[in-house]
Every structure is written in structure tokens, then in C-alpha cells.
Amino acid sequence: MKKKVSIKDIAAHLNISITTVSLILNGKSKEVGLSDILNEKVLKYTKEIGYKPNLLAKSLRTGKTKIICLLVENIADPFFSSIAGFVEELATQRGYKIIYGSTKNDPAKTSELISLFKDRHVDGFIIAPTEELEADINNLLSEHVPLVLFDRYYPAIDTDQVVVDNFDSTYKAIQMLIAQGYKNIAFVTLESDQSQMHDRLGGYLKVMEVHGLTPCVQKIAYESVEQDACTLIKQLLSTDIPVDALFFGTNYLTLKGLEVLKDLDIAVPRDIGVISFDDHEVFKLFTPGITAVVQPVALMSEKIVELLLEQIDHKADVRQKKKIVVPGFLNVRNSTGQKK
Amino acid sequence: MKKKVSIKDIAAHLNISITTVSLILNGKSKEVGLSDILNEKVLKYTKEIGYKPNLLAKSLRTGKTKIICLLVENIADPFFSSIAGFVEELATQRGYKIIYGSTKNDPAKTSELISLFKDRHVDGFIIAPTEELEADINNLLSEHVPLVLFDRYYPAIDTDQVVVDNFDSTYKAIQMLIAQGYKNIAFVTLESDQSQMHDRLGGYLKVMEVHGLTPCVQKIAYESVEQDACTLIKQLLSTDIPVDALFFGTNYLTLKGLEVLKDLDIAVPRDIGVISFDDHEVFKLFTPGITAVVQPVALMSEKIVELLLEQIDHKADVRQKKKIVVPGFLNVRNSTGQKK
DNA sequence: TTTTAAAACTAAACCGATATAGTAAATATT
DNA sequence: AATATTTACTATATCGGTTTAGTTTTAAAA
């Protein structure tokens, strides 16, 4: 109903130029030498009428939107929603707003999202990249769009990135299983070449090799987790080799695994040990609670925002790309135990 | 690196006016009588160079952003993330983009989010309102901003809204418990006057009264669910009256309740029956699975988008507000059973 | 043949801000 | 007293589109 008031209306009402109003509203009053009296007058009036500048116009002119785009695999996943929460908090403190998107691990969808948000002139991207996204990432890079990858990265592309030490955290988790006496430890993971899955698998294979144990890996395609995960895990459990522990590469695979174990009436940890990569709020509700590798989400978020803002603030400079690796740690519950 | 090409560059390159280019790109060629030859030429060239109009400029001029804001309690909650998924799908089909925000049931935060997105000139709002948001809602209404409330509403405010029949679905769920022989059925809910919680409680009280049973209600403040829920539920279970069934007003309260039952070694459904309002992906993983009232999310999403687009498309018209109530239904698992 | 109408296109205003390049008056300097 | 500086502001171009109000050329009608 009430027509929006513009900077022009304010200038007219106060009988001054729009330039002056703009300068004052942007705190440049001192800098350019406007009188305190006028400064106060404008500030008082704009506050009084509750003036809000048109951000579209502002962005069009300045080329900045103060919006950062955060692309995660699935915003409903506890790991990603937790990162989202922290990143939003930190970005807000620095005057930025966050806009989300879920990639669902679909390269085409992700590519579209990137294009969409680029069209919307976001000031930077934080992305947990899917596979086959190299072209889009290189494209952003070549256009000098501020960008931080997290959770995963491309070994062949030089980007700012923040990831957990997937290799090492997996190594240590499996090592604990081995120390507890487990021998036939199976690794259930995604059929994926994404770096994080690659490194988790690498850590598993390495530690198994070091201890002279035979690895056993079950891979499941992301798209068919809903349909096939249970079947495949069941198959895994019905081979000749009696699996005595399961390590799941992601928390949602763990959930699937638990569904199977329930179906098959296999008791944890009596019949089988279980560890999940990535925690989940419901893991503590199971009997026993499910042990999980957890990532230092707060720390990662800090690093992510820090790296991105460095790029946004010093866009012109040629800055060395920074690659940050943070340690993961085990949240030990009772889904594994000393084997007699 | 490569400078963005504008409509002006295109006009210059083809030796025509920018008006013509704009008209053609917006498909108004026929309408205003531009020749097919020219039309083709422009379309071909813009496609060739991959021209993308500056959406900021476009929005500034037209006043439309083609963005819809969806404000939910918590995007990580299965109910809301599911609504979000459907709404996004439907909106995309109609050329709109969705931008999310989580209110966390905090009126101040929500108010800020609304203001933020209004500043960003979204074309409409879909909101699961918190308490104490009447002022903001009325404000949007008075400015004729397209708006649909869902999940909850304000009885005193005339808005478009889509909700499940909270009263009736609760009534029927409790009725099943009663039919199975449960007598001391407790209702665990939020300390909240939000319409959905109010109606769920209403359904419970009514059916208890009809069957001459004594109601027993435990209320928990949203902000302190993390801290206090477990304690309060424990208290509830240690009164003189032996509670034989628990109905939880939300899925996250159910999760808390299950944590308590596990702690106290109370078996479901042997010692106690359990029903949740709103389903959760992990309910099927429990032994036994948890019975839940589920909302017809796809249908609700359709209605929500339909109502909002009606408003956006016919902004000028004075249109009667529409209030839609859809039925909920029970997803019966085994967390309740016939009492002997 | 002149007038009218239709077809095909365009100049310029506008959306609402910021940024650049000035200007007028007051004060300081020579 | 003449000139240079500083102080306090401002006119106008600009961002990149859309929209309004024309204009020119050609075909149809009088």
C-alpha cells in the first residue's frame, strides 16, 4: 500500500541532493567532509521514516550482493545442517547472508544451482562438490569468483579447501576395532570417486594391510541407496567369510545397515561391531549407542568462512590457494567392544 | 575475466536498438510486430554468445525477482525438509526459485528473516509462523505481499493457509490407543500456543473426555527441549498414576521420549505404548517401529504453491482468503498393541 | 493522388541506488 | 588585494535492463 520511499524522496524532503543522502547513509560523511548537523538531520529523518535502501539497486550499482551461496549434499543431513548453522552464524557476523542449496550428489542439478546463483550475483560460493563438477569449478575459478570447497575436493584442481583428515580418522577407527580383536572388518561405502570417500577407503585398506588382514569392501551407488543398500548389505553379511565388524562410510549408510541388522536379528556389538563415519543425532538412541567418527564442524566452518572472506576482500590480489586439513575424532559409544 | 556482455553490446553488434533486443528476448516479438527474420537473428546471436541478462537490473525495473521465500521451523526436520523438497519442485516448474530460512521457533529471528527477504524483494512468502509473529504477518498483509501460512496459523488473522487436521488426526490416534485398551494415556507436547499444538492438544482432551478418561499433559518449552525434555518426561513416568501410553506432539519430542524409555529400561510396547505426531525416517529402525501420525506432505505442498501463485498472479484483485485443511493419517508400526 | 492505417523498429525515461567530477562560499596564504 | 585552499555540497553519468511513446516506411483506403 504505502509506496516505498527512495533516496530521492528523502533528498527532496530535506532539500538536499541525493548524493549527500547516499554519502551520509553509507557513513562517508566524515570522509568527504559533510557537516555534523546535516549528517544528524539525515540520519534522524531516515530512521524516523524507517527508510530501507533498495538492495537490488544497490547491488546493481556496486556489483556486490553480500550474499554467499552454500551448496551441500543434503541440508537435512546432520553434518551438513550443522556446518550450515555455523557458517550462517559466522557470515552474518561479517555482514553476509547465506543462501542454501542441496546438490543431492547430482552433478547436473549442482551445475544448475551454481549457474542460478551466479546469475543472482552471489559474492562467493562454498561448495561440497559432487563428482563431475570439474568444469563448473574451473569455470568459477577462471572468472575469479570467490570459492571454497569443503568436505571434498579435486586433487587436480588448485582451490581453497577445508576437509577433515578422512584417511587418518578412518585408519584410527579401524585400528581401534582391530585392537578390540575384530578381524573380518567390512567397509560399506559409496560407489564414488569423491575425495572424501576415496580417502576413507584408503585409510581402511592401509590399516588392514598393516595388520595383515583381508579387506572386504561393499560399494553402493548414491542414487540407489534407498533401493539397494539394504539388499547389498544383506548380501555382504551372508558370504562365507563371517564379517565381525562393519564400518560405514557415511551416516546414512549406517542407518541402512542398522535396518538390516535389525531385520536379520544380528545383535550389536555381541554379534557384530559397528562404526559410522559421521555422527547422527539418533545414534545415541540405539541400544547400544553407535560409535562414530565425528568431524570438528565448528572449526571447519570457521576456516571455510575465513578463506572465503579472504578471497572476497582481496579479490584483485593473486593469492596462494589454501588447503586446510582438520583432524577428526571418535565418539565412542558401545557399538563395538573387546572381543573375548 | 571475460567482461559480462549486456543487452547494449548485443544491440551494438547487430546494429539495432536495445529496445528491440529486449523485446525479442522477452518473447514479445510477435506481440509488437517485429519481423521473424530479425527475431531469429537476435535469438541466434544471443544463444551463440551465451548471453544471460542481469537479473538484478531486470528485477530492479520490473519489481519481480521470481524468488519465493520459505520459512520453516527447522529445515533439518523431516517434515519441513520434505515440504521444502516438494515446494521447490513445484515452484521451479512455474519459473520460481525458493530461498529457505529456519526460524527455530524464535519470533525475533523470524521477524529478521522476513525483513531480510522483504528487503531482497522476494515475490512471496510461505511461512510456518512462530508465536508472536502477528505484527509481522499483518504488516505483510497490509502491504499486499503474497503470503501463505502453513502448519500453523493465527485464528485472529485472515490469511491463506494450509494445515493438517491436527485435532482430528490426534483424536483418531488416541482413539486407537483407547481401543487397544490403553487407559492412562499421557500427552507430551510443547509449551506453546501455536495453532497446531493447540489443536493436537484439543483432540487429545476431547477424546479422553468422550471416553471418560483422565487426561495427563506434560508441556515442555521449545527452547529448553534439549536441556529439560528428558528430565520432564522422566518425572511424568514416575508419578503415582502408571502411564501406559505416551503420545508425543512432535517427532523430536518422540526422540527425546525414546531416549528416556531406553534409559529407564521401559519396553515398548510391552510396558508402554508410543505414538508420535509426525513421522521420522528413523522410526522404522527402532524395535519395534514407532507408530506416527503422518501429514500428506505432497498434497499440502501442492496447495501451498497453488495458493501463493494465485496471489502473485492476481495481485491487484481482492481475493477471498483460502483456508485449506487436509487430513492426516496413521502410519501404524508396532509401538502400540492390544492390551491383554 | 492524398490520407489513413499497419508494420517494423527505436529514442529516451525509468527503476533506485553509487561514483565521478565538479562548484560555490569561506578561509588561508602570499 | 589577489590567489590558493579548504569546506560543504551537488549535478550527472552509470549499473543493465524494461517500458512508454514515438517515428519511419510501406501498404491499403478514400
Side-chain angles (χ1 to χ4, degrees), chain B residues 40-327:
Chain B
E40 282 315 308
K41 201 202 297 193
V42 171
L43 254 26
K44 177 163 174 290
Y45 179 64
T46 50
K47 183 174 204 176
E48 191 179 306
I49 63 170
Y51 168 73
K52 299 248 195 131
N54 182 318
L55 297 183
L56 290 171
K58 191 169 201 157
S59 294
L60 175 59
R61 184 68 240 254
T62 62
K64 323 218 139 269
T65 52
K66 289 282 176 178
I67 296 179
I68 290 167
C69 171
L70 174 62
L71 259 28
V72 299
E73 182 177 301
N74 179 6
I75 192 68
D77 181 286
F79 169 66
F80 290 114
S81 69
S82 161
I83 288 271
F86 282 108
V87 166
E88 176 169 14
E89 168 82 23
L90 293 164
T92 302
Q93 284 169 17
R94 312 280 292 261
Y96 285 86
K97 288 295 154 190
I98 297 288
I99 191 167
Y100 306 98
S102 290
T103 69
K104 300 296 168 80
N105 254 350
D106 177 345
K109 184 176 187 218
T110 308
S111 186
E112 255 177 55
L113 283 170
I114 291 177
S115 157
L116 174 81
F117 289 121
K118 216 168 57 176
D119 288 356
R120 243 90 202 193
H121 298 258
V122 298
D123 288 345
F125 283 90
I126 298 170
I127 306 179
T130 65
E131 293 180 275
E132 299 167 42
L133 212 64
E134 289 89 342
D136 297 270
I137 298 296
N138 274 324
N139 199 17
L140 290 175
L141 248 29
S142 75
E143 293 179 29
H144 297 282
V145 176
L147 166 70
V148 175
L149 300 187
F150 80 103
D151 193 48
R152 4 190 150 153
Y153 60 91
Y154 300 105
I157 305 183
D158 186 31
T159 55
D160 273 39
Q161 53 199 225
V162 177
V163 295
V164 76
D165 191 334
N166 287 291
F167 186 100
D168 197 54
S169 346
T170 306
Y171 191 106
K172 287 185 174 142
I174 303 281
Q175 201 167 35
M176 182 187 82
L177 286 175
I178 294 173
Q180 290 178 326
Y182 292 98
K183 294 214 153 40
N184 293 304
I185 305 167
F187 188 79
V188 179
T189 184
L190 293 181
E191 178 75 56
S192 161
D193 265 328
Q194 292 175 111
S195 69
Q196 85 283 20
M197 302 320 286
H198 180 268
D199 293 350
R200 290 171 199 176
L201 178 57
Y204 164 77
L205 292 176
K206 181 70 186 173
V207 68
M208 292 297 274
E209 185 198 322
V210 166
H211 289 82
L213 296 172
T214 314
C216 164
V217 176
Q218 177 61 256
K219 292 188 176 182
I220 300 165
Y222 182 84
E223 307 74 41
S224 66
V225 163
E226 277 314 311
Q227 298 162 39
D228 302 341
C230 289
T231 319
L232 290 171
I233 296 169
K234 262 184 196 156
Q235 272 175 29
L236 172 70
L237 294 174
S238 52
T239 54
D240 297 343
I241 312 120
V243 172
D244 59 10
L246 284 167
F247 185 94
F248 294 96
T250 77
N251 53 9
Y252 50 88
L253 285 174
T254 307
L255 252 20
K256 287 296 164 193
L258 292 171
E259 199 172 334
V260 170
L261 294 178
K262 180 191 162 186
D263 256 28
L264 262 37
D265 241 322
I266 299 180
V268 176
R270 199 199 58 203
D271 304 332
I272 203 164
V274 170
I275 296 186
S276 170
F277 200 107
D278 275 344
D279 210 346
H280 195 291
E281 48 164 357
V282 301
F283 285 170
K284 66 171 179 297
L285 298 186
F286 282 85
T287 313
I290 307 299
T291 294
V293 174
V294 349
Q295 307 192 38
V297 177
L299 174 64
M300 292 173 76
S301 305
E302 269 171 43
K303 293 297 180 190
I304 289 169
V305 172
E306 188 183 301
L307 292 189
L308 190 72
L309 291 184
E310 264 180 32
Q311 290 180 60
I312 292 178
D313 293 343
H314 310 284
K315 210 163 175 179
D317 314 9
V318 247
R319 173 178 146 290
Q320 189 96 19
K321 300 281 185 240
K322 299 189 183 174
K323 294 156 202 310
I324 294 179
V325 178
V326 299

Side-chain angles (χ1 to χ4, degrees), chain A residues 266-281:
Chain A
I266 300 180
V268 176
R270 198 198 58 201
D271 304 330
I272 204 163
V274 170
I275 296 185
S276 170
F277 200 107
D278 277 343
D279 211 346
H280 196 291
E281 49 165 355

